[in-house]
DNA sequence: TACGCGTGGGT
DNA sequence: TACCCAAGCGT
């Protein structure tokens, strides 16, 4: 037997890797981005999958690849169309960075993704995980892409007693996985661990009976599988109250585009803002519209109340019909403002709450004639 | 290192 | 209800 330079036996998979890959060959999820190995498709899917479940991504991915089948097709699309295709997926900076990176690929790489981790890592929106995932899945490079699934699966397998998100914890997981990964099979190896985490080694009540690695799992052996991975305590999230103005001028309503880099950056919204202590909803809205849009308004009927939970805070939005009293609207806090008809609202990418307000406006506008 | 950045499903 | 948490990245 010839040993490689590192002293390991080449192409000799460990017992764990063999069991894992055999399980994967039989149980791999049939996901649309797995039906080919186009690096562009792998890239798009990986970015969509950041902090997002596969079931959620599937319809977005299919629509995306249908509309933007190549890097060039995507790069030449408008910002608003890209955001509309992304609307509902969240973390909108991902769409912005994806678009930026597409332009770089067209100009510097002939529209092709590089196969090296370091070059991938330089593209906007591609961090350590996504760079490794593309290198492994699309190019079969011997790297480990550590995501939430791998953190959980590997933490249990080796019974890691420290936070796997810490640099020390991640180093442990990576070096262990790299030793186990059969050279040249990183694509299947990485995806097998992800599928194991997504289907069997679940966050709560893992289905150890169905696990191909049940005999190797140290946490199970010690009965601490429910306490892995170790996680730091969470902080409480605040709940804020916000007002929003549906400012009308004849048939049109006013919307503004949020600047890039903030919450819901690049998306359109109904202007308004946070309720300060001792303020009424009405005075809050008059103040906010004065500050943001530079006009005086009269606050009319309440259009609706909308609740939403973001990752770091919870919000209740009170939307009001409003009329212009004095002044010409200006884009002060917004990058752009526009008067649009209710029907045009659907063309403007929006977050969850403003889309709900839009829908309420449209329902009030398009009230079909009552039959009978 | 810690935090801001969305949304939806599960319990 | 309220909380958890999911194929992370950028600063």
């Amino acid at each position: 037997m010839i040993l490689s330079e590192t002293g390991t036996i080449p192409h000799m998979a460990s017992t764990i890797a063999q069991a894992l890959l055999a399980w994967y060959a039989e149980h791999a999820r049939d996901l649309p981005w797995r039906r080919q190995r186009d690096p562009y498709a792998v890239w798009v899917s990986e970015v969509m999958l950041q902090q997002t479940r596969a079931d959620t991504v599937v319809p977005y991915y299919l629509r995306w690849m249908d509309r933007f089948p190549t890097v060039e097709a995507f790069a030449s699309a408008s910002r608003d169309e890209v955001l509309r295709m992304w609307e509902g997926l969240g973390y909108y900076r991902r769409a912005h960075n994806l678009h930026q990176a597409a332009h770089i690929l067209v100009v510097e790489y002939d529209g092709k993704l590089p196969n090296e981790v370091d070059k991938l890592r330089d593209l906007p929106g591609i961090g350590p995980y996504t760079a490794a995932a593309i290198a492994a899945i699309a190019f079969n490079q011997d790297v480990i892409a550590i995501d939430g699934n791998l953190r959980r699966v590997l933490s249990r397998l080796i019974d890691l007693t420290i936070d796997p998100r810490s640099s020390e914890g991640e180093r442990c997981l990576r070096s262990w996985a790299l030793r186990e990964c059969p050279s040249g099979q990183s694509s299947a190896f990485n995806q097998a661990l992800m599928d194991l985490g997504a289907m069997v080694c679940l966050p709560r009540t893992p289905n150890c009976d169905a696990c191909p690695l049940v005999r190797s799992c140290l946490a199970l052996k010690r009965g601490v599988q429910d306490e892995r991975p170790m996680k730091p305590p969470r902080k409480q999230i605040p709940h804020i109250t916000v007002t929003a103005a549906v400012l009308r001028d004849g048939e049109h309503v006013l919307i503004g585009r949020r600047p890039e880099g903030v919450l819901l950056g690049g998306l359109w919204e109904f202007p308004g803002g946070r309720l300060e202590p001792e303020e009424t909803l009405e005075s809050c809205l008059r103040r906010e519209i004065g500050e943001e849009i530079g006009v005086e308004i009269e606050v009319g009927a309440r259009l609706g109340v909308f609740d939403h939970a973001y990752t770091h805070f919870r919000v209740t939005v009170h939307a009001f019909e409003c009329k212009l009293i004095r002044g010409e609207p200006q884009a002060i806090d917004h990058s752009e403002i526009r008067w649009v008809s209710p029907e045009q609202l659907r063309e403007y990418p929006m977050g969850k709450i403003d889309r709900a307000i839009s829908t309420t406006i449209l329902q009030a506008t398009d009230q079909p004639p009552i039959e009978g």
Side-chain angles (χ1 to χ4, degrees), chain A residues 60-81:
Chain A
Y60 285 89
Y61 171 84
L62 292 173
R63 259 202 310 277
W64 188 280
M65 295 307 288
D66 189 50
R67 172 64 189 85
F68 306 131
T70 64
V71 174
E72 287 81 3
F74 168 41
S76 63
S78 74
R79 180 162 71 131
D80 269 343
E81 188 185 7

Side-chain angles (χ1 to χ4, degrees), chain A residues 71-178:
Chain A
V71 174
E72 287 81 3
F74 168 41
S76 63
S78 74
R79 180 162 71 131
D80 269 343
E81 188 185 7
V82 168
L83 279 173
R84 275 204 309 282
M85 297 288 285
W86 201 272
E87 183 180 315
L89 263 183
Y91 289 126
Y92 297 93
R93 195 171 304 180
R94 291 185 296 177
H96 179 70
N97 286 334
L98 203 63
H99 208 196
Q100 301 275 89
H103 291 125
I104 295 172
L105 289 177
V106 167
V107 172
E108 297 183 21
Y109 291 93
D110 191 30
K112 295 177 178 61
L113 270 89
N115 61 359
E116 297 165 33
V117 168
D118 288 347
K119 286 186 178 172
L120 288 164
R121 186 70 186 71
D122 284 339
L123 294 166
I126 296 186
Y129 163 77
T130 305
I134 295 170
I137 294 170
F139 299 111
N140 238 323
Q141 304 234 358
D142 290 335
V143 293
I144 303 297
I146 299 184
D147 70 338
N149 288 309
L150 268 76
R151 271 192 288 276
R152 186 171 59 256
V153 171
L154 299 177
S155 288
R156 286 172 175 160
L157 267 175
I158 69 174
D159 190 24
L160 186 73
T161 56
I162 59 174
D163 179 1
R165 288 180 173 279
S166 66
S167 49
E168 173 67 12
E170 185 169 328
R171 198 160 39 242
C172 291
L173 298 185
R174 172 168 287 104
S175 69
W176 187 90
L178 216 43

Side-chain angles (χ1 to χ4, degrees), chain A residues 15-290:
Chain A
T15 310
I16 289 177
Q18 282 178 20
L20 179 66
L21 292 173
W23 174 84
Y24 184 64
E26 193 174 346
H27 295 97
R29 287 175 290 175
D30 178 26
L31 298 167
W33 46 89
R34 287 181 174 172
R35 290 170 194 164
Q36 35 64 46
R37 234 178 232 188
D38 174 11
Y40 165 63
V42 173
W43 172 43
V44 170
S45 70
E46 284 303 334
V47 174
M48 287 185 171
L49 286 161
Q50 288 168 6
Q51 297 288 284
T52 311
R53 293 171 199 283
D55 288 345
T56 303
V57 167
V58 168
Y60 285 89
Y61 171 84
L62 292 173
R63 259 202 310 277
W64 188 280
M65 295 307 288
D66 189 50
R67 172 64 189 85
F68 306 131
T70 64
V71 174
E72 287 81 3
F74 168 41
S76 63
S78 74
R79 180 162 71 131
D80 269 343
E81 188 185 7
V82 168
L83 279 173
R84 275 204 309 282
M85 297 288 285
W86 201 272
E87 183 180 315
L89 263 183
Y91 289 126
Y92 297 93
R93 195 171 304 180
R94 291 185 296 177
H96 179 70
N97 286 334
L98 203 63
H99 208 196
Q100 301 275 89
H103 291 125
I104 295 172
L105 289 177
V106 167
V107 172
E108 297 183 21
Y109 291 93
D110 191 30
K112 295 177 178 61
L113 270 89
N115 61 359
E116 297 165 33
V117 168
D118 288 347
K119 286 186 178 172
L120 288 164
R121 186 70 186 71
D122 284 339
L123 294 166
I126 296 186
Y129 163 77
T130 305
I134 295 170
I137 294 170
F139 299 111
N140 238 323
Q141 304 234 358
D142 290 335
V143 293
I144 303 297
I146 299 184
D147 70 338
N149 288 309
L150 268 76
R151 271 192 288 276
R152 186 171 59 256
V153 171
L154 299 177
S155 288
R156 286 172 175 160
L157 267 175
I158 69 174
D159 190 24
L160 186 73
T161 56
I162 59 174
D163 179 1
R165 288 180 173 279
S166 66
S167 49
E168 173 67 12
E170 185 169 328
R171 198 160 39 242
C172 291
L173 298 185
R174 172 168 287 104
S175 69
W176 187 90
L178 216 43
R179 278 198 306 276
E180 293 295 328
C181 181
S183 185
Q185 295 185 251
S186 71
S187 181
F189 186 81
N190 274 283
Q191 294 183 84
L193 286 171
M194 291 180 196
D195 278 19
L196 194 60
M199 296 190 289
V200 176
C201 195
L202 302 168
R204 294 181 218 203
T205 59
N207 186 7
C208 299
D209 291 340
C211 182
L213 308 183
V214 63
R215 286 184 302 174
S216 310
C217 184
L218 219 45
L220 177 64
K221 204 162 290 181
R222 296 169 181 167
V224 295
Q225 68 273 23
D226 290 333
E227 296 157 41
R228 303 289 178 266
M230 291 282 295
K231 50 181 182 289
R234 299 230 162 190
K235 291 175 182 172
Q236 275 214 327
I237 61 171
H239 187 157
I240 65 169
T241 301
V242 163
T243 57
V246 177
L247 188 53
R248 307 246 190 193
D249 180 15
E251 299 296 302
H252 294 103
V253 296
L254 187 77
I255 57 174
R257 190 203 280 276
R258 297 173 62 83
E260 213 61 60
V262 302
L263 181 77
L264 302 172
L267 300 187
W268 295 79
E269 69 169 7
F270 297 93
R274 182 197 293 232
L275 181 73
E276 303 290 352
E278 312 294 314
E279 232 177 4
T280 65
L281 294 171
E282 201 179 308
S283 61
C284 164
L285 195 48
R286 280 202 304 267
R287 173 184 56 74
E288 286 286 352
I289 297 305

